[in-house]
């Protein structure tokens, strides 16, 4: 089962400053409670009995709120700071510092109304947000801004920002402590998928390995009538049209699926990279593409050719929008159209992304929005780096085999030149979404991975 969290929990801080109308704090708390409940987001926040109106203004308020957050630190995926008035920038920043949380932070400031600018009704949140951000930077606490400097808590702009922030939190939470399974050795001809386990470890990412010889031994030990084999066989048949595949080959695929799945569960693996050729074909007489397709559809993505960084890229994409991701080669030009190209791979695409999935000869990807993303470890500089961007999967005809997509990317030639100059691999992860800015924010601001956003 995928470890990507579906239902998120947010810590909520409501800032206050006594010089300004305090009733605005109670109003913000009421609006926030209704909004988060409607969006299905759990909240951890002070109530009126713990501090005045449930706001944070003093050092004592900060300690109380921080203690509340510490008690729920394993549940909190992000923190939302609301400024219904100017707020106390020091108290909010100290709350975050004292809590010990290391999660994304979103800062919202309420807008003033021109007919409510008297001392009894004005907010000055516009100014207070600048002061808070200044303190956050001094404290070394990264944060995310709303689309507009100030916006109504009950408005459409903030609701969209909150949804976007939810995705950022999901990516950050998923990538911290992720465990990758590397099954088999890297194909000898693919230096391009080399990577540094030590750099990944610095980011808290673990790599577990499994030799194919162990896989083959376990496959041979399984009986054809094993109930586990039948369960996986049914999954394979449900995933794609397999009418052209011999029944005994489907059974062998199912056995391989059982071995991989049980190893994944036993080792708490989140995403896998598999030596998909040529040893599997020579020893078992089958391909692993359909198994990888199913795992990717279950949000436990699987990359070809032991491309560990590709698997992590797929996992990040899937976590951003809970949508299956696939991996492909930047493979072919598309005639003379320099903003279009062909993404291609043998047959590992998630079935949900294909028009008519079937085993044997794979299908073309559905048209629609497309986000592409690639992580890479760079031993020469000792850093992990990434690029991300958006485009379109288009329905232009293409007479070829395999899983493929014709995609259109603005200024594609510039992107390809950038990829080449910066030493990125020929593989790229992709899915149907518009998640580029979310991934760029999550990795650059919170995960410490410099991420180029192509526009």
């Amino acid at each position: 089962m995928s470890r990507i969290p579906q239902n998120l929990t947010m810590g909520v801080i409501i800032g206050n400053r006594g010089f300004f109308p305090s009733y605005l704090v109670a109003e913000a708390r009421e609006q926030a409670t209704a909004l988060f409940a409607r969006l299905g987001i759990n909240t951890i926040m002070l109530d009126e009995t713990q501090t005045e109106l449930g706001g944070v203004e003093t050092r004592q308020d900060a300690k109380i709120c921080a203690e509340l957050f510490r008690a729920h630190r394993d549940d909190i995926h992000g923190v939302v700071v609301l400024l219904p008035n100017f707020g106390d920038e020091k108290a909010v920043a100290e709350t975050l510092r004292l809590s010990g949380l290391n999660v994304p932070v979103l800062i919202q400031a309420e807008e003033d109304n021109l007919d409510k600018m008297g001392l009894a009704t004005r907010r000055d949140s516009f100014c207070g947000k600048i002061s808070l951000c200044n303190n956050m930077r001094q404290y070394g606490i990264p944060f995310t801004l709303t689309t507009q400097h100030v916006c109504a808590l009950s408005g459409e702009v903030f609701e969209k920002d909150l949804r976007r922030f939810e995705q950022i939190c999901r990516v950050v939470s998923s990538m911290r402590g992720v465990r990758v399974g590397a099954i088999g050795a890297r194909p000898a001809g693919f230096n391009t998928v080399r990577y540094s386990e030590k750099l990944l470890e610095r980011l808290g990412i673990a790599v577990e390995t499994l030799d194919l010889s162990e896989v083959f031994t376990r496959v041979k030990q399984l009986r054809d009538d094993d109930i586990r084999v039948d369960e996986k066989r049914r999954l394979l048949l449900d995933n794609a049209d397999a009418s052209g595949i011999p029944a005994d080959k489907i059974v062998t695929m199912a056995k391989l699926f059982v071995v991989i799945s049980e190893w994944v569960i036993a080792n708490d693996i989140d995403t896998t990279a598999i030596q998909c050729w040529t040893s599997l074909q020579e020893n078992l007489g089958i391909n692993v593409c359909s198994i990888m397709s199913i795992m990717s559809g279950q949000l436990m993505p699987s990359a070809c050719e032991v491309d560990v960084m590709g698997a992590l890229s797929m996992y990040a994409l899937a976590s951003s929008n809970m949508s299956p991701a696939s991996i492909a080669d930047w493979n072919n030009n598309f005639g003379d159209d320099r903003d279009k190209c062909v993404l291609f791979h043998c047959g590992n695409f998630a079935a949900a992304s294909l028009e008519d999935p079937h085993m044997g000869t794979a299908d073309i990807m559905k048209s629609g929005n497309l986000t592409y993303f690639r992580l890479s470890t760079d031993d020469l500089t000792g850093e992990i780096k990434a690029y991300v961007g958006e485009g379109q999967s288009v329905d232009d005809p293409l007479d070829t085999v395999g899983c493929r997509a014709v995609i259109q990317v603005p200024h594609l030639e510039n992107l390809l030149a950038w990829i080449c100059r910066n030493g990125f691999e020929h593989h790229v992860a992709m899915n149907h979404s518009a998640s580029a800015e979310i991934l760029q924010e999550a990795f650059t601001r919170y995960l410490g991975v410099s991420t180029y956003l192509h526009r």
Side-chain angles (χ1 to χ4, degrees):
M1 181 178 294
S2 176
R3 195 178 58 86
I4 300 171
Q6 294 193 28
N7 298 318
L8 300 189
T9 297
M10 301 290 178
V12 180
I13 300 173
I14 305 177
N16 187 31
R17 178 164 289 193
F19 178 80
F20 297 91
S22 291
Y23 76 88
L24 297 173
V25 174
E27 181 182 89
R29 192 176 187 283
E30 182 179 337
Q31 291 178 345
T33 300
L35 174 61
F36 282 83
R38 180 165 58 82
L39 297 182
I41 302 172
N42 302 316
T43 57
I44 305 294
M45 67 173 123
L46 296 171
D47 61 34
E48 302 90 333
T49 66
Q50 293 169 293
T51 63
E52 184 178 357
L53 300 174
V56 173
E57 181 178 8
T58 65
R59 167 77 176 178
Q60 188 61 29
D61 294 343
K63 289 168 65 177
I64 294 170
C65 189
E67 183 179 357
L68 176 66
F69 286 176
R70 282 197 303 273
H72 297 275
R73 64 178 303 157
D74 291 339
D75 302 317
I76 295 175
H77 299 96
V79 173
V80 179
V81 178
L82 307 176
L83 295 179
N85 59 33
F86 190 104
D88 189 291
E89 68 270 22
K90 186 176 179 180
V92 172
E94 288 192 338
T95 299
L96 291 164
R97 172 183 279 177
L98 292 170
S99 72
L101 291 176
N102 182 24
V103 296
V105 178
L106 176 66
I107 300 175
Q108 179 267 354
E110 191 73 20
E111 57 190 9
D112 269 307
N113 297 320
L114 292 178
D115 60 348
K116 295 180 180 179
M117 295 294 286
L119 290 178
T121 53
R122 68 185 295 159
R123 298 176 182 271
D124 287 13
S125 309
F126 189 104
C127 186
K129 181 174 180 177
I130 298 172
S131 295
L132 173 58
C133 291
N134 176 278
N135 276 257
M136 295 281 280
R137 191 168 184 273
Q138 289 187 49
Y139 280 51
I141 301 172
F143 54 88
T144 295
L145 298 172
T146 50
T147 306
Q148 298 175 354
H149 183 65
V150 290
C151 57
L153 177 57
S154 58
E156 186 176 315
V157 170
F158 180 64
E159 181 172 331
K160 288 182 178 178
D161 284 336
L162 188 55
R163 280 298 193 198
R164 173 176 174 268
F165 182 66
E166 189 179 15
Q167 290 179 275
I168 292 169
C169 292
R170 187 174 284 115
V171 172
V172 173
S173 174
S174 298
M175 295 306 297
R176 285 179 174 158
V178 64
R179 292 174 59 81
V180 192
I183 302 176
R186 170 181 59 80
F190 274 66
N191 280 359
T192 185
V193 296
R194 288 173 170 174
Y195 69 98
S196 170
E197 288 191 43
K198 292 180 180 179
L199 288 178
L200 289 179
E201 191 65 48
R202 190 183 299 172
L203 198 62
I205 296 173
V207 180
E208 292 291 328
T209 60
L210 176 64
D211 191 83
L212 280 184
S213 64
E214 297 180 57
V215 173
F216 298 148
T217 299
R218 296 176 194 180
V219 167
K220 291 175 182 177
Q221 291 172 346
L222 286 169
R223 294 167 52 93
D224 290 2
D225 59 356
D226 191 307
I227 190 172
R228 297 168 295 172
V229 174
D230 186 60
E231 177 191 6
K232 298 303 185 186
R233 184 184 67 85
R234 292 177 184 276
L235 279 176
L236 288 163
L237 295 177
D238 289 342
N239 187 63
D241 180 0
S243 56
I245 308 299
D248 63 321
K249 296 299 184 185
I250 297 292
V251 171
T252 304
M253 284 187 206
K255 291 180 179 179
L256 176 60
F257 200 173
V258 169
V259 171
I260 292 174
S261 297
E262 292 188 348
W263 180 78
V264 162
I265 293 170
N267 290 276
D268 293 328
I269 302 298
D270 299 302
T271 180
T272 53
I274 301 176
Q275 182 187 343
C276 52
W277 62 281
T278 56
S279 182
L280 281 170
Q281 291 77 9
E282 293 171 355
N283 286 276
L284 297 180
I286 59 171
N287 291 319
V288 72
C289 300
S290 294
I291 298 171
M292 299 167 78
S293 170
I294 293 174
M295 291 193 294
S296 293
Q298 296 171 338
L299 303 186
M300 299 180 68
S302 189
C304 312
E305 294 148 3
V306 203
D307 184 1
V308 166
M309 300 309 295
L312 288 168
S313 303
M314 295 168 72
Y315 191 70
L317 257 178
S319 68
S320 71
N321 48 64
M322 305 296 289
S323 177
S326 302
I327 198 165
D329 293 352
W330 292 105
N331 211 74
N332 311 91
N333 61 291
F334 193 76
D336 294 328
D337 193 328
R338 297 303 167 186
D339 278 348
K340 289 182 181 178
C341 71
V342 178
L343 297 182
F344 169 87
H345 238 236
C346 304
N348 68 327
F349 287 14
S353 68
L354 298 172
E355 291 179 353
D356 183 24
H358 52 280
M359 285 191 212
T361 54
D363 197 15
I364 193 163
M365 179 175 272
K366 297 175 183 177
S367 59
N369 291 335
L370 184 97
T371 299
Y372 53 87
F373 179 63
R374 179 71 202 189
L375 283 161
S376 184
T377 58
D378 191 337
D379 286 24
L380 301 180
T381 60
E383 65 177 359
I384 301 173
K385 59 187 181 182
Y387 68 85
V388 69
E390 293 175 11
Q392 291 284 320
S393 176
V394 296
D395 57 6
D396 292 12
L398 181 66
D399 184 15
T400 188
V401 297
C403 280
R404 68 270 187 201
V406 179
I407 71 165
Q408 185 169 16
V409 175
H411 311 293
L412 177 59
E413 290 285 352
N414 293 342
L415 172 62
L416 294 172
W418 191 90
I419 290 171
C420 290
R421 289 198 181 100
N422 287 276
F424 277 88
E425 299 79 357
H426 65 291
H427 288 168
V428 67
M430 60 181 176
N431 71 356
H432 286 299
S433 68
S435 305
E437 292 187 355
I438 289 161
L439 288 163
Q440 199 265 347
E441 178 87 354
F443 276 89
T444 298
R445 196 168 305 283
Y446 297 108
L447 295 171
V449 175
S450 177
T451 304
Y452 165 65
L453 175 61
H454 179 71
R455 298 184 185 274

